[in-house]
Amino acid sequence: MMQTETPPTPHMYDGRRFRWLALSAALMTFVLIVAGAIVRVTGSGLGCPDWPLCYGRIIPPLRFDVWVEYSHRLAASVTSPLILLTAGIGWLRYRQERPILWPALVSVFLLVVQIVLGGITVLYELPPTIVAIHLGNALLILALQLAVAVALFRRSRFGPPSLQVSFADPLARFALIGLLVVFGLIVSGAYVTSSGSAFACSGWPLCSGSLWPDTGLGRIHMFHRLFAALSVPIVFLLAKRAWDRRRRRPGTFVASTLALTLILIQVLVGALNVLRSFPPVLNGLHIATASAVWGTLAISATFAVMEAGSQERKAVGEAAVRLQWTDFVALTKPVIVALLLVTTMAAMIVGAGGWPGTGLVVWTLIGGALASGGAGALNQLLDQELDGRMQRTRDRPLPSGRLVKVEVLAYGLALCVLSFFVLALFVNLLAALLALAGMIYYVVLYTMWLKPTTAHNIVIGGGAGAIPPLVGWAAATGGLDIAAFFLFAFIFFWTPPHFWALALVRRLDYARAGVPMLPVVQGDAQTRRLILLYTLQVVALTFLMPLVDLGGGMFLIAAGALGAGLLLAAWRLWRRGGNRAAWGMYRYSSLYLALVFAAMVLDVLIA
């Protein structure tokens, strides 16, 4: 078990609000950088030809390029006060704690420089060197704000002793080297874009068939690629070294794992950017991903110097820890993933009116599996204590001790990141954003908020499981319509009776764990009554689906037969009660969902 020299008590350290303020400042700085990327890729850099006003007005003209540029300025107007407020509170309350104070104060100086650079960039019509320096300065501000947030996080958890720093540790020095190299990678990329060198090279990884082109613009472009070739192995080695020390350096390990995941994605995005002739979405995604790489490396470096300096964790024999791949598979909840993929694939076929294409189906299912698996792993991380108190879940990898939190956190986050990029790069951006919304819905809204606080947690939380059909529909059609939302509603209403049936069987388990599931809070009789009512709604909804072209006559016959079976199971449970009837309802409802979607697919394919 991991130990700390100064175990905290809930009232020992203050600063929770300040921690969120510093994190908000960092997030808004990231948003500001991404907004600047959108300005560049849309060619809106001179949408406002003057500065600080736009066409001499506070509210500019209603034109696309004007408002793209103006949105960047609005983001800056929100970010600047947050940075100033962070520095002010740091000066007033943490003057003796340099790892908090100095990054906050230096951020203010860089903020002034950033404002001046922003004005010069506009007034001198986007000189490439100033554009690159402008982005580099923004990256430094982001790193400093993240450093403040990390320091406050450590202080709240381990106390002021955890803020000691050391640059002598090899892992800390390596993290700083990686940060420096990636800084050069991103700034050189900004210069490539602003100097017009992006189109100087066709093909990838060579530049128009040459390793080192003859033209000046081509060499600028290849210089950026060489930075990428240097950055990837450095970040890989950092992640490898952090992996070997993951239980002693958890913060460094998680951040460096994400940095490695993101930089590999960044190389892929860069290659596709060139091969697809720099479409705006990919171009913007390229810059946003680079900023995310920088942010995760900044977090990794901050953790590295602080974890090395404070030495608050005792060494453990990590070399003796044998990890089983089956435990990582179990974290993803593969049975649930399989059921969600059935609904995703069915929605694709129904939405496309036939087979949407093998490549599209494969990439969508891979992205969906990664999203569901990553969210499932994070769910088990957050539910570790609850799972340990329940007979049904106590043998899961975390409560059983076969894995520790830091390993699950890195794994879950990496899967979630990969899922977004797989869908964004090989399917479409809408599908990727819907999958991201589903992950946030399940992990944050359901697991962190609804599950431990309300008996109707699964009613609202069921929306997370209803998002995969939207992802499949968006993947096949590029948009959403009322038929897609009918599929969402179908799973939304199906989820409560399905899960409440299991909750009846495991009521004592949930009671011991302190989870306010409906049978625990309102009793078995009320739960059985609501299961029957929700089942009636689910079956009724299937008869409305043909009105929005979700199936025809064959589907109605299948839905009627399957619905009759579901109503019979719910009726028996309502009348008789008992674990046998509840278990029968639970098992049949899973089969029912899969067969209803299969009936939709068959109806489309036969038609």
Side-chain angles (χ1 to χ4, degrees), residues 37-286:
I38 295 172
V39 169
R40 287 199 295 278
V41 301
T42 57
S44 305
L46 295 176
C48 292
D50 52 344
W51 186 89
L53 299 177
C54 185
Y55 286 96
R57 299 159 55 181
I58 296 178
I59 304 299
L62 293 176
R63 205 173 71 212
F64 176 77
D65 60 332
V66 172
W67 275 94
V68 170
E69 163 63 17
Y70 200 65
S71 67
H72 178 57
R73 298 190 186 185
L74 289 176
S77 69
V78 174
T79 306
S80 299
L82 292 175
I83 293 173
L84 293 172
L85 189 56
T86 301
I89 296 176
W91 175 260
L92 292 173
R93 299 184 61 182
Y94 299 93
R95 200 174 304 175
Q96 304 303 318
E97 299 178 34
R98 294 183 178 181
I100 296 174
L101 178 64
W102 281 108
L105 292 181
V106 174
S107 293
V108 174
F109 170 75
L110 293 179
L111 176 63
V112 175
V113 174
Q114 187 73 356
I115 293 171
V116 173
L117 289 171
I120 294 174
T121 300
V122 174
L123 297 177
Y124 286 85
E125 300 185 354
L126 312 178
T129 302
I130 300 299
V131 170
I133 295 173
H134 188 53
L135 175 60
N137 195 68
L139 293 174
L140 293 176
I141 295 174
L142 174 60
L144 291 171
Q145 292 299 308
L146 288 171
V148 173
V150 168
L152 287 166
F153 166 79
R154 287 179 57 77
R155 186 185 189 279
S156 68
R157 187 172 183 186
F158 304 118
S162 67
L163 299 184
Q164 300 174 33
V165 300
S166 171
F167 297 96
D169 179 73
L171 185 61
R173 290 200 302 267
F174 205 81
L176 292 171
I177 292 172
L179 194 63
L180 180 63
V181 173
V182 169
F183 182 82
L185 171 67
I186 300 174
V187 172
S188 65
Y191 191 84
V192 166
T193 302
S194 58
S195 66
S197 306
F199 292 94
C201 290
S202 61
W204 189 92
L206 299 178
C207 178
S208 304
S210 173
L211 182 62
W212 192 246
D214 297 329
T215 64
L217 292 179
R219 289 173 180 173
I220 292 173
H221 190 126
M222 283 304 293
F223 187 73
H224 172 62
R225 294 193 192 182
L226 290 176
F227 253 119
L230 179 62
S231 300
V232 172
I234 289 177
V235 176
F236 172 80
L237 289 174
L238 171 64
K240 174 63 173 62
R241 294 183 180 188
W243 166 264
D244 294 337
R245 301 165 177 80
R246 61 190 180 278
R247 298 192 180 185
R248 288 175 288 164
R249 304 290 185 82
T252 309
F253 164 63
V254 173
S256 61
T257 300
L258 283 179
L260 177 61
T261 303
L262 285 165
I263 201 167
L264 292 174
I265 292 170
Q266 175 71 352
V267 172
L268 176 61
V269 174
L272 292 175
N273 218 2
V274 174
L275 298 175
R276 297 179 183 177
S277 300
F278 299 92
V281 171
L282 268 185
N283 215 354
L285 196 61
H286 189 52

Side-chain angles (χ1 to χ4, degrees), residues 334-591:
V335 175
I336 295 177
V337 169
L339 190 58
L340 294 177
L341 292 183
V342 167
T343 66
T344 303
M345 184 172 174
M348 292 185 73
I349 296 172
V350 174
W355 186 249
T358 302
L360 184 62
V361 169
V362 169
W363 284 118
T364 304
L365 295 184
I366 290 174
L370 291 170
S372 302
L378 295 177
N379 167 266
Q380 291 196 43
L381 172 68
L382 294 169
D383 280 351
Q384 178 183 4
E385 293 185 7
L386 295 179
D387 288 347
R389 296 197 294 265
M390 294 178 63
Q391 182 180 2
R392 181 174 68 94
T393 55
R394 66 178 53 163
D395 194 46
R396 285 178 172 175
L398 265 174
S400 66
R402 299 193 302 273
L403 294 176
V404 295
K405 287 183 176 182
V406 63
E407 293 159 350
V408 177
L409 178 60
Y411 177 65
L413 290 176
L415 290 184
C416 291
V417 169
L418 283 171
S419 71
F420 175 82
F421 283 96
V422 165
L423 292 171
L425 296 177
F426 301 108
V427 183
N428 59 54
L429 187 58
L430 178 59
L433 291 173
L434 287 169
L436 178 62
M439 290 182 281
I440 295 173
Y441 197 142
Y442 183 61
V443 175
V444 179
L445 184 63
Y446 172 68
T447 305
M448 297 181 67
W449 181 38
L450 293 171
K451 185 175 181 178
T453 58
T454 173
H456 293 282
N457 43 29
I458 201 63
V459 176
I460 306 171
I467 288 180
L470 298 183
V471 174
W473 195 279
T477 67
L480 296 174
D481 57 27
I482 190 170
F485 289 107
F486 258 78
L487 295 179
F488 176 91
F490 174 64
I491 298 181
F492 184 85
F493 286 108
W494 166 88
T495 302
H498 168 74
F499 199 86
W500 283 334
L502 176 64
L504 284 170
V505 177
R506 298 294 182 177
R507 181 174 60 83
L508 295 179
D509 242 3
Y510 284 116
R512 280 193 297 267
V515 181
M517 287 297 174
L518 191 65
V520 176
V521 177
Q522 298 187 17
D524 287 11
Q526 174 68 358
T527 303
R528 298 199 309 270
R529 187 179 74 86
L530 288 177
I531 285 175
L532 181 59
L533 289 176
Y534 270 87
T535 300
L536 287 168
Q537 295 178 70
V538 170
V539 175
L541 191 60
T542 60
F543 288 103
L544 297 176
M545 288 182 176
L547 297 178
V548 291
D549 294 327
L550 288 175
M554 194 193 81
F555 170 77
L556 276 176
I557 295 172
L562 293 169
L566 189 66
L567 284 171
L568 179 61
W571 174 266
R572 286 175 176 171
L573 177 58
W574 177 62
R575 294 289 294 174
R576 302 175 185 175
N579 283 352
R580 183 175 179 179
W583 188 247
M585 174 66 186
Y586 174 73
R587 295 182 64 182
Y588 181 76
S589 61
S590 298
L591 181 64

